[in-house]
């Protein structure tokens, strides 16, 4: 992983490298984690990273939805 985090704008940029490709993440930070978009070549989608619960905190049901938008050239 490589990336940056800007506290003044509450935004981040991360790149994760794999043997065959890389994934770029652009996100905004709030009290619920990091929300944003990922890009692999011309493919795009959304993501949400959230912090782990502290011991004793109530569990919430988590629903994930992946959205893939194909780029047209």
């Amino acid at each position: 992983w490589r990336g940056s985090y800007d506290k003044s704008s509450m935004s981040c940029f991360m790149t994760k490298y794999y043997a065959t490709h890389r994934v770029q993440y652009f996100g905004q930070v709030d009290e619920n984690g990091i929300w944003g978009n990922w890009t692999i070549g011309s493919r795009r989608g959304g993501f949400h990273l959230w912090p782990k619960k502290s011991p004793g905190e109530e569990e919430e049901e988590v629903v994930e939805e992946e959205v893939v938008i194909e780029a047209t050239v």
Side-chain angles (χ1 to χ4, degrees), residues 32 35 46-50 59-67:
N32 295 313
W35 303 81
F47 74 91
H48 177 210
L49 303 174
W50 54 91
E59 287 293 321
E60 292 181 20
E61 182 179 345
V62 176
V63 178
E64 288 187 51
E65 180 178 343
E66 182 176 323
V67 178

Side-chain angles (χ1 to χ4, degrees):
W1 287 91
R2 293 183 190 249
S4 62
Y5 177 79
D6 184 346
K7 287 183 181 181
S8 63
S9 67
M10 298 298 286
S11 63
C12 67
F13 167 77
M14 301 174 284
T15 303
K16 187 166 185 181
Y17 296 90
Y18 295 91
T20 58
H21 65 283
R22 69 179 181 189
V23 182
Q24 294 179 306
Y25 300 89
F26 303 91
Q28 292 298 125
V29 181
D30 67 16
E31 65 277 358
N32 295 313
I34 303 172
W35 303 81
N37 295 302
W38 56 262
T39 303
I40 303 173
S42 63
R43 295 182 177 186
R44 298 169 186 239
F47 74 91
H48 177 210
L49 303 174
W50 54 91
K52 288 184 177 181
K53 297 275 183 202
S54 298
E57 284 188 306
E58 265 186 49
E59 287 293 321
E60 292 181 20
E61 182 179 345
V62 176
V63 178
E64 288 187 51
E65 180 178 343
E66 182 176 323
V67 178
V68 178
I69 301 170
E70 295 287 332
T72 308
V73 180

